[in-house]
């Protein structure tokens, strides 16, 4: 199979769809891999390293997209969607529930589009989303602590406090992978941490894991409001697989928060879980509304692209091999977990939550493979 790895064009995005080691696994099996020149340069992967792994270096995105299987990291921009056509497969993060123009463009292309974030795993969960959720969760406390500095408009609070001065209060909304990793980092900084979830079973697990280091609370509107009124840092880590994130903090609720408090929205790729969230970029990451600092960077793991690329490739490579060896439709037939990742195929939305949230026509993946 001919596989294309284009350079990411989203602003300040330096991750790359395949590392040289991943390319080598495919070329050893006899597949052709086309890597756009300098696609990995932002994380010190040179064209020479890719060539040593057996890749063909191509000069343009158009040449990289001249392939049966396209491997990316971030959702294709509209100009990239125009390069796709029926008979091709795109394998990347899509986050369509918050991006109807992209969904419509992919629908028009006729391509098969598999989203990392909805591929399921043998033991449950979303294994291809997990590594970036881990990175984003850990980063959320790091960037939240920076936002709390007075120079960024924050309260001027050190999360861990010092002897004689109390620690900052961190509220985490969502106890999944991102929320758990955020809690780990916040506990490591000796912050006062409260974690919310709607699953009693998950709260029991987290309570056992953190013992008395984290206060776990069942999520209700009133309990969340009480907590954010006291919080220095609120981290939104709520996930609805494939669907838009629920708005847990309204604009009105900003009025009960402390001036200079910080909101970090990990769920921004899925539309965000704060009503006042809108996507920002790494070069302009924060804004202020009603005295509350918002950090809503839509590709948070892109700030640490080397770590993120390796973590992602560790998870995606087995699926890439199967797609190349079996062909897309046969791979989807044989693997129900990969099939759960199919979001768009041959002019149809094939993920029910995406179709519902966007008001678009839906057809089950099984009908198209």
């Amino acid at each position: 199979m001919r596989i294309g790895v284009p350079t990411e064009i989203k602003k300040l995005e330096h991750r790359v769809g395949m590392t040289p080691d991943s390319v080598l696994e495919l070329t050893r099996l006899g597949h052709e891999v086309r890597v756009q020149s300098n696609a990995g340069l932002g994380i010190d992967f040179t064209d020479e390293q890719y060539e040593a792994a057996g890749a063909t270096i191509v000069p343009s995105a158009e040449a990289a997209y001249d392939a049966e299987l396209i491997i990316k990291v971030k959702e294709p921009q509209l100009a990239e969607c125009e390069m796709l056509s029926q008979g091709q497969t795109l394998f990347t993060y899509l986050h369509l529930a918050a991006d109807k123009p992209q969904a419509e463009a992919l629908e028009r292309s006729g391509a098969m589009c598999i989203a990392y974030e909805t591929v399921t795993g043998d033991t449950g969960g979303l294994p291809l989303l997990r590594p970036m959720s881990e990175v984003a969760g850990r980063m959320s406390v790091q960037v939240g602590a920076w936002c709390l500095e007075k120079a960024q408009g924050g309260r001027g609070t050190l999360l861990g406090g010092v002897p004689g001065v109390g620690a900052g209060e961190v509220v985490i909304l969502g106890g999944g992978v991102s929320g758990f990793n955020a809690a780990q980092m916040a506990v490591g900084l000796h912050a006062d941490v409260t974690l919310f979830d709607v699953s009693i079973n998950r709260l029991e697990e987290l309570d056992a894991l953190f013992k008395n280091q984290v206060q776990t609370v069942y999520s209700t509107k009133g309990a969340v409001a009480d907590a954010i009124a006291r919080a220095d840092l609120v981290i939104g880590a709520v996930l609805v697989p494939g669907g838009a994130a629920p708005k847990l903090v309204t604009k009105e609720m900003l009025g009960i928060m402390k001036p200079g408090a910080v909101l970090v929205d990990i769920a921004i790729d899925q539309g965000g879980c704060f009503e006042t969230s809108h996507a920002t970029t790494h070069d302009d990451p924060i804004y202020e509304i009603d005295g509350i600092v918002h950090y809503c960077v839509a590709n948070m793991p892109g700030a640490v692209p080397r770590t993120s690329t390796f973590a992602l490739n560790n998870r995606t490579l087995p699926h890439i091999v199967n797609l190349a060896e079996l062909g897309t439709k046969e791979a989807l037939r044989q693997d129900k977990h990969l099939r759960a990742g199919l979001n768009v195929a041959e002019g149809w939305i094939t993920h029910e939550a995406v179709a519902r949230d966007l008001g678009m026509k839906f057809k089950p993946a099984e009908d198209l493979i």
Side-chain angles (χ1 to χ4, degrees):
M1 181 178 284
R2 189 164 65 249
I3 301 164
V5 183
T7 301
E8 297 292 329
I9 63 172
K10 191 161 187 172
K11 194 170 187 179
L12 295 177
E13 179 56 75
H14 298 293
R15 288 175 288 179
V16 63
M18 294 179 70
T19 66
D21 285 346
S22 293
V23 168
L24 183 60
E25 294 299 310
L26 273 298
T27 57
R28 278 177 172 171
L29 292 170
H31 301 288
E32 178 189 354
V33 182
R34 296 183 169 193
V35 178
Q36 187 177 347
S37 183
N38 295 329
L41 199 59
I43 51 175
D44 302 323
F45 293 148
T46 65
D47 288 351
E48 289 74 21
Q49 287 175 287
Y50 280 110
E51 287 180 315
T56 300
I57 303 301
V58 295
S60 66
E62 289 79 7
Y65 275 86
D66 182 17
E68 298 158 87
L69 174 62
I70 312 299
I71 307 297
K72 279 177 46 61
V73 178
K74 287 305 292 176
E75 70 279 356
Q77 306 302 291
L78 293 180
E80 294 175 296
C81 293
E82 295 298 321
M83 299 184 205
L84 293 166
S85 60
Q86 191 157 355
Q88 291 184 302
T89 297
L90 174 67
F91 194 30
T92 189
Y93 289 115
L94 291 176
H95 300 292
L96 293 178
D99 192 349
K100 190 168 185 176
Q102 184 206 163
E104 291 173 335
L106 293 178
E107 190 181 59
R108 288 193 300 272
S109 76
M112 308 279 282
C113 304
I114 304 171
Y116 295 155
E117 72 272 11
T118 62
V119 173
T120 54
D122 288 331
T123 58
L126 303 168
L128 306 193
L129 183 61
R130 186 180 186 92
M132 297 305 95
S133 296
E134 291 168 342
V135 171
R138 295 184 179 209
M139 279 189 65
S140 67
V141 176
Q142 178 176 306
V143 299
W146 173 74
C147 290
L148 277 169
E149 295 175 8
K150 198 66 178 176
Q152 319 323 324
R155 289 182 56 72
T157 298
L158 182 66
L159 280 181
V162 293
V165 181
E169 295 199 33
V170 178
V171 170
I172 301 169
L173 305 178
V177 175
S178 292
F180 170 72
N181 278 271
Q184 281 188 312
M185 294 296 285
V187 166
L189 288 176
H190 304 291
D192 183 352
V193 184
T194 302
L195 193 153
F196 286 85
D197 204 274
V198 293
S199 168
I200 290 294
N201 289 339
R202 182 57 176 163
L203 291 174
E204 288 174 347
E205 292 173 0
L206 293 166
D207 199 61
L209 284 167
F210 286 111
K211 303 188 187 306
N212 62 346
Q213 295 177 304
V214 171
Q215 182 180 1
T216 57
V217 181
Y218 184 77
S219 184
T220 65
K221 188 172 183 178
V224 168
D226 288 344
I228 69 168
R230 302 188 304 270
D232 296 292
L233 169 61
V234 179
I235 295 169
V238 179
L239 174 69
V240 177
K247 307 300 184 195
L248 299 184
V249 176
T250 65
K251 186 178 190 302
E252 183 181 16
M253 292 167 73
L254 301 187
I256 65 173
M257 296 180 70
K258 297 186 286 192
V262 173
L263 298 176
V264 174
D265 199 338
I266 297 175
I268 191 63
D269 283 315
Q270 294 293 117
C273 57
F274 308 134
E275 186 181 14
T276 47
S277 292
H278 64 75
T280 59
T281 59
H282 289 294
D283 62 343
D284 189 14
I286 59 176
Y287 60 92
E288 176 266 326
I289 295 178
D290 295 345
I292 307 303
V293 179
H294 293 59
Y295 181 100
C296 303
V297 173
N299 58 331
M300 284 179 67
V304 286
R306 191 170 177 86
T307 296
S308 297
T309 295
F310 278 109
L312 181 58
N313 268 229
N314 291 343
R315 299 280 187 160
T316 58
L317 181 59
H319 291 294
I320 296 170
V321 170
N322 283 340
L323 286 164
E325 290 284 278
L326 299 173
T328 297
K329 289 193 174 182
E330 186 59 31
L332 292 170
R333 290 187 199 107
Q334 292 190 19
D335 187 346
K336 65 180 182 181
H337 298 300
L338 183 63
R339 192 160 67 243
L342 189 66
N343 278 212
V344 184
E346 298 177 351
W348 290 88
I349 301 297
T350 54
H351 193 286
E352 193 167 5
V354 170
R356 181 195 65 234
D357 286 350
L358 295 180
M360 296 177 69
K361 60 184 181 179
F362 166 72
K363 182 176 281 193
E366 290 77 7
D367 292 354
L368 294 164
I369 62 171

